[in-house]
Each structure stands twice: as C-alpha cells, then as structure tokens.
Amino acid sequence: MRIPIVAGNWKMNGSASFANEMCQQINAFAADLDVEVVLSPPSVYLAQVQLAAENYSTAAQNVHFAAAGAYTGEVSTAMLRDVGCGYVLIGHSERRAMFAEIQEVLAKKLAAAVEAKLLPILCVGETLEQRQQGQAFAVVKQQLLSAISGLDITADQIVVAYEPIWAIGTGETASPEQAQEMHSYIRTVLAEQISVAMAAKTRILYGGSVNAETASQLFSQPDIDGGLVGGASLKIEDFKNICSAAASQ
Ligand code: PEP
C-alpha cells in the first residue's frame, strides 16, 4: 500500500562525470522497479541530474524558507521547483549540528516546502547519549512535533526519515527491531497529531549506515518504507542492490 522510497544522499561528494554515470545507470536500472528512487546530489549538480531523469526523482539537500531576496548562498523552493526537483531533505542531523539549523528554522523550511508542493523528507533521530539515557522516543517526538505542528498535512505531503545519529556514517546500523520500534512509534505520533489514516499512509524511511547487506532485513519490517542512504549511495552497484531490496518487500 505504501510505495517504498530509496533516496541517495550524496552529501558533499561527487562530480559532473559521476552524476552523469549515476543518472544513466539508474535510468536503465529503475525502469520497472516498484520503488521511488530519489537522487540527492549537491545543489550544483541538481539541475543536471534532474534533466537526465527518466526513472528517478531528485531531492535537494537544503532549501531556504524565504521566497527570494538577500540570502547569499541559498536557494528557494521556487528555484527547486523551477529545475524540476521534487523532494527536499529537511533537518538532516549534519545540518542541525553543523549549520545551526534550529527547530524554528526547520519548521519554517518544512512549511515553505509543503506550500511549494515540494515533498519534504523530514529527518529525525537521537544521539547515542540520548538513546543511552532512555530519551530516544521523547527526542524524536519533539523533533517531529516541532516541525509539523500547525500544519494540516496529508500523507502525500511529507516523508519522514528516522536517522539515529549514532548510526550515520559510523558503519553501525540500528537493528531491524530497534528501527521498527521507532518507526512504529513515529506512526503513533503522526496518528495522534494528525490522523490515523494519514499515519497509516505516510512513508517512513530508515537511514544510518544502510548497506547492501543490511537493507533487506531493515526494509522487511512492517513500518519501514525504504531508506535514506548516505555512503552506500555513492557506490552504484551497492545503491542498486539497496533499491532492489526495497522492491522485493
Ligand atoms: C545520511 O547521511 O542520511 C546517511 C544515512 O548516511 P550513511 O548512510 O552514510 O550513514
């Protein structure tokens, strides 16, 4: 009932020739796949990757909430729409930690994306310390609610990505059980905040050191609807295997 998504976040990696190769390979590979494949290159390559898109979509890694103006270095939702981009990552833990993206700013970005009909992939997740102190669920709930409160959104206006910070780029993946427990909890929070129907239809992705070996078990969990993939999305064969794992669930 929920079509899975596998999104590859290249972060600040890649080149024009890498993008070209990836686009060709994914166009050929994803033609008959029952998965939405999303490529998220650095913004300088976004238009190139989107122009080549036949069987995938693109996601920006960031966006500004203002419509236009004196915001050197930023891009707007309208600019992303203008080049055909369909998704935008919001609240990635690297942006929260390294670029001081506080919750108020993320809420504005989310609202701007929804308003512009860009599909936000809202990233939430706890640190290792928060997990060890038994705060993981409270932290994720707070991140989720501070981003969506006040918005009357439907399941086709948002994607949530649970990305425990301790699993991002560390090689340490959450166990399928740990991930499932949090995904199910996120669905409960959405049901309480918005509606049971919306919660049941919303895609919730797992992110954090997903690789070709761990993908199948993670994606077979009932509340995991695909993945947000960092490091492994730069290895074309690994990324294809991860997409295949999502398709076979
Ligand atoms: C990410 O950056 O969203 C991510 C999940 O990275 P990695 O797969 O490398 O842990």
Side-chain angles (χ1 to χ4, degrees):
M1 154 184 150
R2 297 184 297 263
I3 297 172
I5 297 175
V6 176
N9 173 15
W10 302 3
K11 313 192 187 199
M12 198 172 72
N13 294 296
S15 62
S17 64
F18 170 80
N20 201 24
E21 177 67 16
M22 181 64 100
C23 297
Q24 282 180 24
Q25 296 247 7
I26 297 300
N27 274 332
F29 166 77
D32 298 313
L33 211 62
D34 270 348
V35 171
E36 274 182 53
V37 179
V38 179
L39 302 181
S40 187
S43 60
V44 71
Y45 303 124
L46 194 58
Q48 174 194 344
V49 172
Q50 178 59 46
L51 267 175
E54 289 166 16
N55 297 313
Y56 61 84
S57 308
T58 56
Q61 295 179 14
N62 185 28
V63 71
H64 198 277
F65 53 79
Y71 300 101
T72 302
E74 296 291 317
V75 297
S76 70
T77 56
M79 290 168 189
L80 296 179
R81 290 289 312 232
D82 196 25
V83 298
C85 175
Y87 292 78
V88 58
L89 305 185
I90 292 186
H92 191 283
S93 58
E94 287 155 15
R95 294 217 55 92
R96 290 180 195 256
M98 291 188 258
F99 301 95
E101 291 202 355
I102 55 171
Q103 312 237 20
E104 290 75 8
V105 169
L106 296 176
K108 286 187 188 174
K109 289 186 177 205
L110 191 84
V114 171
E115 169 79 22
K117 298 192 167 36
L118 263 176
L119 194 45
I121 301 179
L122 173 67
C123 304
V124 294
E126 79 287 357
T127 63
L128 184 58
E129 198 185 2
Q130 288 165 335
R131 178 158 279 265
Q132 286 168 342
Q133 290 174 353
Q135 297 167 355
F137 293 90
V139 167
V140 166
K141 180 176 187 176
Q142 212 270 327
Q143 290 174 341
L144 195 55
L145 291 186
S146 75
I148 64 172
S149 62
L151 286 181
D152 186 18
I153 39 174
T154 56
D156 53 11
Q157 289 178 306
I158 191 168
V159 174
V160 179
Y162 170 54
E163 298 209 303
I165 295 170
W166 47 273
I168 295 185
T170 59
E172 191 177 338
T173 317
S175 70
E177 294 73 25
Q178 279 173 321
Q180 165 57 27
E181 192 182 23
M182 186 60 85
H183 281 231
S184 160
Y185 178 69
I186 289 171
R187 228 177 270 292
T188 306
V189 174
L190 291 175
E192 283 166 8
Q193 181 69 15
I194 299 178
S195 74
V196 172
M198 182 273 181
K201 283 194 207 143
T202 299
R203 269 90 57 90
I204 307 176
L205 315 184
Y206 169 79
S209 297
V210 175
N211 59 39
E213 285 73 50
T214 55
S216 273
Q217 268 203 309
L218 285 161
F219 299 165
S220 66
Q221 300 301 310
D223 288 299
I224 301 185
D225 308 309
L228 178 54
V229 184
S233 74
L234 298 167
K235 300 176 195 148
I236 298 182
E237 287 312 314
D238 286 12
F239 187 61
K240 286 185 195 171
N241 286 333
I242 293 169
C243 293
S244 298
S248 63
Q249 299 306 320

